[in-house]
Amino acid sequence: MSTIASNLQVVRERIATAAKAAGREPGDIALLAVSKTFAQSAVRAAYAAGQREFGENYVQEAIEKIAGLSDLQLVWHFIGPIQSNKTRAIAEHFDWVHSVAREKIAVRLAEARPAGRNPLDICLQVNVSGEASKSGVNPEEVGALAEAVRALPRLRLRGLMAIPEPTNDIALQRRRCVDLRQLLLQLNAAGYGLDTLSMGMSQDLEAAVTEGATIVRIGTAVFGERKRA
Ligand SMILES: *Cc1c(COP(=O)(O)O)cnc(C)c1O
């Protein structure tokens, strides 16, 4: 078995163990393999081990990878910071975008999404870490952003995403995840019908699954340490 295949098996077991301990169905948590900085061959190895959903952060790198792997049936998620001059490429090449934090970016994604394709699935990135993080919309502004995004054509608002500050403190990991879940519940109480909580990385996977993650985004634990950010 390849290293990536055995890593995937370990990660799937971590998800299943955390899910069962929380009284959840392991099948309700999707594993997104974050392949940024790794070669197409690594994605092929993961595919051979049954992985179908992949996450990327850098547009140029991702587009080359997506083109080189077009013989495989893969689902691509954009999870990195979004510059407005990259919205067209993102809207044309990806199935999901997890990192929408500004209305202007959402408008550009909607304009650029090809009419013949499925709506682009969207998560709003929320800053649940306050001063410890700069990226994501502030929790108080999520409602207004959700309302704006919901009104746009060719986008389908699916849920919320967060990248909490890295910490080994399990209680803090869980608190950040609870905060994101509470925001999702508030939106759903207002009728949004959102089904996605994108939270949990290699270090805080268990906390995220315990607190309701429906997509975990795992890089290092699947592909190994990255040589660059
Ligand atoms: C890189 C990255 C991940 C994966 O992080 P690991 O700690 O390597 O699992 C997940 N989400 C986002 C947004 C990332 O940029």
Side-chain angles (χ1 to χ4, degrees):
M1 203 191 312
S2 73
T3 306
I4 289 172
S6 62
N7 287 348
L8 272 169
Q9 199 168 344
V10 170
V11 169
R12 288 177 189 136
E13 278 164 19
R14 284 176 64 186
I15 293 170
T17 301
K20 284 178 197 145
R24 303 185 61 199
E25 284 295 326
D28 292 343
I29 299 126
L31 168 56
L32 180 61
V34 178
S35 47
K36 65 178 177 216
T37 80
F38 287 95
Q40 292 174 24
S41 56
V43 175
R44 287 189 186 278
Y47 178 88
Q51 182 65 30
R52 295 293 178 270
E53 312 232 2
F54 293 88
E56 288 282 335
N57 289 53
Y58 309 107
V59 176
Q60 195 50 45
E61 175 194 341
I63 286 173
E64 287 168 28
K65 217 175 277 184
I66 291 168
L69 294 163
S70 62
D71 57 310
L72 307 181
Q73 286 280 336
L74 304 178
V75 179
W76 290 99
H77 299 240
F78 190 79
I79 62 174
I82 306 175
Q83 295 166 294
S84 40
N85 64 349
K86 297 284 167 49
T87 47
R88 175 161 302 279
I90 292 169
E92 287 176 350
H93 291 96
F94 284 83
D95 303 291
W96 283 73
V97 181
H98 292 229
S99 41
V100 172
R102 289 191 289 146
E103 182 180 351
K104 178 186 159 200
I105 293 292
V107 168
R108 293 178 64 100
L109 289 170
E111 284 168 357
R113 182 64 170 176
R117 295 196 55 186
N118 289 342
L120 188 58
D121 284 309
I122 300 290
C123 291
L124 305 180
Q125 182 177 347
V126 183
N127 176 8
V128 291
S129 297
E131 288 298 306
S133 169
K134 290 275 176 280
S135 53
V137 63
N138 289 328
E140 315 81 69
E141 292 159 7
V142 172
L145 182 60
E147 201 175 320
V149 170
R150 178 167 63 173
L152 291 169
R154 295 195 289 280
L155 304 185
R156 184 162 54 200
L157 182 60
R158 296 295 299 271
L160 302 178
M161 178 272 229
I163 312 173
E165 74 273 42
T167 173
N168 289 319
D169 177 349
I170 306 288
L172 181 58
Q173 291 175 1
R174 286 183 61 171
R175 198 150 71 234
R176 299 306 189 211
C177 292
V178 169
D179 288 349
L180 195 69
R181 186 183 66 213
Q182 294 297 343
L183 288 168
L184 192 89
L185 291 174
Q186 281 173 27
L187 291 172
N188 281 346
Y192 278 85
L194 305 177
D195 62 7
T196 301
L197 269 177
S198 169
M199 58 189 192
M201 301 168 49
S202 295
Q203 189 185 28
D204 63 348
L205 183 164
E206 282 81 5
V209 170
T210 303
E211 299 303 344
T214 65
I215 301 181
V216 292
R217 309 178 310 267
I218 309 298
T220 309
V222 171
F223 295 108
E225 295 288 339
R226 288 181 290 277
K227 293 191 186 68
R228 57 182 174 89

